[in-house]
Amino acid sequence: MTDPAESAPAVTARYAVAEPVTAEPATAECVATGCGTTEHIDAGHRGAGEPATRDLAAGYSAVRGLAAGYPAAGDIAAGYVAGGSGGLCDAERPRARRVESRESGCARWDPPGLRIDEPSEFIAAVPALLGFVPDRSLVVCLLQEAEERPGSVYLGAVARHDLPPDHRLAQVRMVRQLAAICAQEGACGALVLIVDDREDTAGRDRARAGGHLMRMLAGALLADGVDLADAWMVGAIGAGQPWWSLLDPEVTGTQSDPAASPVALAQVLDGRPIRAGRAELAAVVAADPERAAEVAGVLPAAAEAAARARCAVTLHAHRRALLEQVLDRVRAVASDAPVRPRDIAELAVALRDTVVRDVLFALPLTAHAPAAETLWAQLCRALTGPDRAEAATLLGYSAYARGDGPVAGVALAAAAAAEPRHTLAALLETALRTGMPPHEVRRLAHSGMARAATLGVDLGIDPRWHA
């Protein structure tokens, strides 16, 4: 099972880019191999045949075949521009106008025509585009044509993958996955950055080492009709650090300060954190054994109390009461109220009702989204087994729907590790890994809205989602 710290995809937003220099066609050193068809995912976990799972599966079949044989260590960040901000995992297909915020249902974020004209500026912007500082990674930024400005392009999805071992099959699978995402998104080109601190050689030798992987990727991109616009390599991302071109070893330079990048400043102003690395992402869902023990001590009593309450009223009234209980706790978190072990136990019991859980998939489209994600993260750290999986799935879905692929990835990996049979978590993780854009999975949120209405609860879609 994938470790939560090693899986993820995310999304960013649109930025104007200088017209790229088209690279000379590279030798295609890799061909499509090992890409069989994906087996149907077993629906063994509770809720497998329920509306939430069916709603996702309905829009998922088109990309399901891409999943076969692909490593699950990538991040698709940012770029589902147009409907999505950022990303793998928020929004619609890349367009040059509408962009959604990757930080919450708080709506669309339209950056002020930011430009990235130099390699040093692009490299400095990568942490902001991904949402964290990558290391030992292959980063691919998709270039999309701006329909209203012929001849111009903008940054689309940004995909990151852990550098694979130095054996050919793993490298081929990785580059094929990344090339497939580029083709699927209709990219006209791609910018590539390799981050690798393991070479002790001089910069130019290091660039030649990275050049082999770059040529493999260029071949895979060309096979899918995508141009390699430019490619660089760095040992680490940081102010004053050197970079080297992978297309021309004689071209070198010094990186700009990532903290001063206009893209980073735009992210900060929009309230979206830029984390120091994937370890910081993993901490979002890291289990807290001490807290979990406290919750486990009161969980049986909470389950017994819920069972007694169920016997006293109709099922419809019981589910509405459970939903109101969860929503009250979300509002309390928004007011910085502490969450006690008893509160977590009661919420865990409420989430065991699949109708209540499915309604909560609607929260990413509401003003409750930030507080809800904070609450799901707290539950994820304090629960175990299937209960942890439910909380992690809600967190992963919310992050995915708003375009925060890295958080979605670690949360969904945590859900799968806690309950391998959790069908919905498996579907979402595969959709994220294969590049399904956030607007496709938002149908779950709309389904949740409809289910809330049957319980007589109006969650209220944030009007900014109707831009």
Side-chain angles (χ1 to χ4, degrees):
M1 186 54 56
T2 304
D3 185 351
E6 298 193 358
S7 179
V11 187
T12 98
R14 160 179 67 83
Y15 300 98
V17 187
E19 293 186 12
V21 177
T22 302
E24 292 297 320
T27 303
E29 295 190 357
C30 68
V31 294
T33 59
C35 296
T37 57
T38 303
E39 295 296 326
H40 179 67
I41 297 176
D42 179 27
H45 183 67
R46 67 167 181 259
E50 295 168 4
T53 304
R54 293 200 302 269
D55 287 341
L56 176 63
Y60 176 68
S61 58
V63 300
R64 196 167 50 185
L66 291 176
Y70 289 150
D75 293 295
I76 295 181
Y80 281 115
V81 168
S85 111
L88 357 74
C89 57
D90 246 296
E92 314 212 325
R93 292 284 178 181
R95 302 263 189 280
R97 291 187 287 271
R98 289 168 54 208
V99 192
E100 301 174 3
S101 167
R102 62 177 257 179
E103 188 53 35
S104 95
C106 159
R108 321 262 177 190
W109 177 58
D110 194 0
L114 302 176
R115 297 188 64 84
I116 300 176
D117 298 317
E118 299 292 337
S120 60
E121 294 176 1
F122 171 73
I123 296 169
V126 165
L129 293 173
L130 287 172
F132 65 95
V133 180
D135 63 354
R136 297 187 183 181
S137 301
L138 175 63
V139 180
V140 178
C141 178
L142 281 60
L143 297 177
Q144 306 281 353
E145 293 182 355
E147 297 176 2
E148 77 284 10
R149 296 179 59 190
S152 296
V153 298
Y154 64 91
L155 303 190
V158 178
R160 185 210 68 88
H161 207 292
D162 292 336
L163 288 176
D166 292 330
H167 75 73
R168 187 176 177 82
L169 181 58
Q171 293 177 340
V172 168
R173 286 178 172 175
M174 178 188 68
V175 300
R176 287 302 305 160
Q177 178 187 16
L178 292 170
I181 291 173
C182 291
Q184 177 183 318
E185 291 300 308
C188 62
L191 300 175
V192 175
L193 175 66
I194 295 177
V195 184
D196 191 353
D197 63 347
R198 291 172 293 186
E199 297 288 345
D200 294 327
T201 57
R204 292 181 183 177
D205 288 339
R206 185 183 296 172
R208 281 197 287 271
H212 174 70
L213 183 58
M214 181 276 296
R215 288 190 295 273
M216 292 181 68
L217 178 59
L221 289 171
L222 287 173
D224 285 323
V226 180
D227 292 329
L228 176 63
D230 217 331
W232 308 278
M233 185 172 183
V234 300
I237 295 179
Q241 294 289 324
W243 59 264
W244 302 269
S245 171
L246 291 172
L247 301 183
D248 183 353
E250 299 301 317
V251 177
T252 65
T254 301
Q255 297 177 41
S256 301
D257 184 359
S261 165
V263 181
L265 294 176
Q267 299 281 73
V268 171
L269 290 174
D270 198 51
R272 292 176 283 176
I274 300 174
R275 298 174 176 87
R278 289 190 59 77
E280 191 173 323
L281 280 175
V284 173
V285 296
D288 183 341
E290 183 176 342
R291 184 74 160 167
E294 293 176 347
V295 173
V298 295
L299 192 55
E304 184 178 347
R308 289 197 303 268
R310 165 65 187 91
C311 294
V313 296
T314 65
L315 180 58
H316 180 277
H318 177 63
R319 282 174 167 165
R320 174 166 180 160
L322 289 177
L323 178 58
E324 292 290 2
Q325 180 183 41
V326 177
L327 294 177
D328 285 345
R329 183 48 51 190
V330 170
R331 297 184 192 101
V333 167
S335 301
D336 295 324
V339 182
R340 303 166 299 174
R342 177 181 173 182
D343 298 327
I344 294 175
E346 291 174 348
L347 291 170
V349 172
L351 295 182
R352 291 174 181 176
D353 187 300
T354 54
V355 171
V356 173
R357 178 206 64 186
D358 289 354
V359 168
L360 297 172
F361 282 116
L363 294 186
L365 300 186
T366 74
H368 301 301
E373 287 195 21
T374 298
L375 183 59
W376 305 150
Q378 290 190 42
L379 265 62
C380 189
R381 292 192 293 270
L383 295 171
T384 61
D387 292 327
R388 171 174 162 85
E390 297 292 4
T393 300
L394 285 168
L395 174 60
Y397 174 75
S398 184
Y400 193 167
R402 65 176 173 77
D404 192 340
V407 170
V410 296
L412 293 172
E419 175 48 84
R421 296 174 300 163
H422 199 294
T423 304
L424 185 54
L427 284 171
L428 287 168
E429 192 278 332
T430 306
L432 182 67
R433 175 161 49 89
T434 54
M436 178 182 280
H439 80 274
E440 292 285 353
V441 299
R442 287 201 196 106
R443 66 182 64 200
L444 282 180
H446 293 289
S447 175
M449 287 286 181
R451 303 210 85 181
T454 66
L455 294 178
V457 176
D458 181 8
L459 296 176
I461 296 182
D462 189 312
R464 288 172 290 183
W465 285 94
H466 296 298

